[in-house]
């Protein structure tokens, strides 16, 4: 379908405001970065401010892409790809605060969260929900046939780890009374944490089966499920923990069986 000059001009005029807002957010991010370098003792708070501005940029790029479809009937992957690149910046900033490792104990989260202890549970939940929402929106916008399909698995894995690492499990145990301030927000974050660990584990298994055949994907899936099971055990969710143990054992057995097959082939 041919796009007329008038349609193109109307589109460019419509997205001017979006582009202007992106430029403004980038200016703010540059300023925040400069202030962060000068005040390293509160760098984590600056990271969160930069994350919020970067999320705004992601939203604007998605909006520009949506407008392209609505006005020009063209899927503009250039803007979606810009948004995808911004997601990596968000992940890096969040990992600087709470770490990137799935391995550190649940109790250890407190040491990381101390760096942002003036941010209340509602604000934390809003930030984490926004990250999840825009990652999911981007995956949807790119579609099943996108060349980035399998790379999003790693993004989802990193988001799941960030979510797990930002949960204050001690507070969850301490504040069990529904009348406690931020009770609902803490519970919602825990629910999102468990869901994201489980979903990320599934995505790694799917990538292994449908694309990569790399054992590392199964190992990552197991690691995520192991920590999900630790959360189940911590909160006395014995049925869920038992089911996960069966899944983990089955995955480990599968890996061992496939390794034996490979060894046999080498010997032939």
């Amino acid at each position: 379908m041919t796009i007329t000059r008038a349609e193109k001009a109307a589109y460019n005029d419509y997205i001017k405001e979006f582009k202007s807002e992106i430029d403004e957010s980038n200016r703010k991010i540059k300023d925040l970065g400069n202030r962060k370098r000068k005040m390293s003792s509160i760098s984590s708070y600056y990271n969160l401010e930069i994350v919020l501005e970067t999320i705004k940029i992601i939203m604007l790029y998605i909006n520009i892409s949506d407008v392209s479809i609505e006005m020009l009937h063209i899927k503009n992957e250039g803007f979606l790809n810009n948004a995808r690149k911004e997601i990596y910046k968000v992940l890096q900033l969040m990992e600087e605060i709470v770490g990137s490792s799935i391995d550190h104990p649940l109790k250890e989260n407190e040491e990381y969260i101390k760096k942002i202890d003036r941010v209340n549970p509602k604000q934390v939940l809003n930030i984490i929900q926004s990250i999840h929402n825009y990652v999911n929106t981007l995956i949807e916008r790119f579609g099943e046939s996108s060349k980035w399909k399998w790379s999003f698995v790693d993004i989802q894995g990193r988001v799941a780890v960030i979510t797990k690492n930002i949960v204050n499990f001690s507070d969850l145990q301490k504040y069990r009374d529904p009348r406690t301030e931020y009770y609902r927000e803490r519970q919602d974050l825990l629910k999102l944490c468990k869901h994201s660990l489980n979903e990320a584990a599934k995505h790694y298994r799917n990538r292994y089966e449908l694309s990569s055949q790399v054992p590392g994907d199964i190992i990552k899936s197991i690691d995520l499920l192991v920590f999900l099971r630790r959360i189940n055990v911590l909160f006395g969710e014995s049925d869920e923990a038992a089911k996960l143990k069966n899944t983990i054992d089955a995955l480990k057995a599968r890996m061992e069986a496939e390794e034996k097959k490979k060894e046999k082939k080498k010997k032939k």
Side-chain angles (χ1 to χ4, degrees), residues 144-161:
E144 279 291 313
S145 60
S146 171
K147 66 179 181 178
W148 304 113
K149 176 180 177 178
W150 296 119
S151 69
F152 271 110
V153 173
D154 294 309
I155 290 176
Q156 288 167 305
R158 289 173 69 182
V159 171
V161 173

Side-chain angles (χ1 to χ4, degrees), residues 112-257:
Y112 291 88
I113 299 168
K114 277 181 184 177
K115 295 184 284 186
I116 52 168
D117 60 2
R118 292 183 185 179
V119 181
N120 68 50
K122 184 175 181 178
Q123 292 169 321
V124 170
L125 176 64
N126 288 340
I127 291 169
I128 297 300
Q129 283 178 329
S130 293
I131 295 170
H132 279 271
N133 289 340
Y134 283 113
V135 167
N136 291 335
T137 299
L138 269 178
I139 291 170
E140 180 188 326
R141 294 296 193 276
F142 272 110
E144 279 291 313
S145 60
S146 171
K147 66 179 181 178
W148 304 113
K149 176 180 177 178
W150 296 119
S151 69
F152 271 110
V153 173
D154 294 309
I155 290 176
Q156 288 167 305
R158 289 173 69 182
V159 171
V161 173
I162 288 166
T163 306
K164 172 255 171 188
N165 286 352
I166 208 167
V167 174
N168 191 323
F169 290 98
S170 294
D171 279 358
L172 277 162
Q173 289 181 296
K174 190 188 302 181
Y175 303 115
R176 295 192 176 192
D177 186 339
R179 294 168 296 182
T180 306
E181 187 179 19
Y182 302 123
Y183 171 83
R184 179 49 52 198
E185 287 80 7
R186 290 189 182 96
Q187 293 298 319
D188 286 347
L189 184 58
L190 176 63
K191 183 178 179 181
L192 181 56
C193 169
K194 293 194 286 188
H195 176 76
S196 62
L197 288 171
N198 191 47
E199 287 300 302
K202 286 180 184 176
H203 293 315
Y204 277 118
R205 294 199 297 276
N206 286 340
R207 185 168 73 178
Y208 174 82
E209 292 168 358
L210 301 176
S211 177
S212 73
Q213 295 295 303
V214 174
D217 280 340
I218 294 293
I219 293 169
K220 286 175 182 176
S221 182
I222 290 170
D223 288 343
L224 291 166
L225 293 179
V226 164
F227 267 84
L228 177 54
R229 185 171 182 273
R230 288 187 189 178
I231 294 169
N232 292 148
V233 171
L234 181 67
F235 293 103
E237 299 160 344
S238 55
D239 289 345
E240 291 87 345
K243 288 176 186 176
L244 278 177
K245 185 178 185 305
N246 291 336
T247 302
I248 292 164
D249 289 344
L251 288 172
K252 288 179 178 178
R254 178 178 176 180
M255 278 195 67
E256 289 173 8

Side-chain angles (χ1 to χ4, degrees), residues 1 28 41 49 53 63 72 76-78 81 111 127 150 153 161 213 225 240 251 253:
M1 178 180 168
K28 287 180 181 177
S41 61
E49 288 191 66
E53 285 299 327
N63 287 345
L72 305 178
N76 194 324
E77 287 208 0
N81 199 37
E111 295 304 312
I127 291 169
W150 296 119
V153 173
V161 173
Q213 295 295 303
L225 293 179
E240 291 87 345
L251 288 172

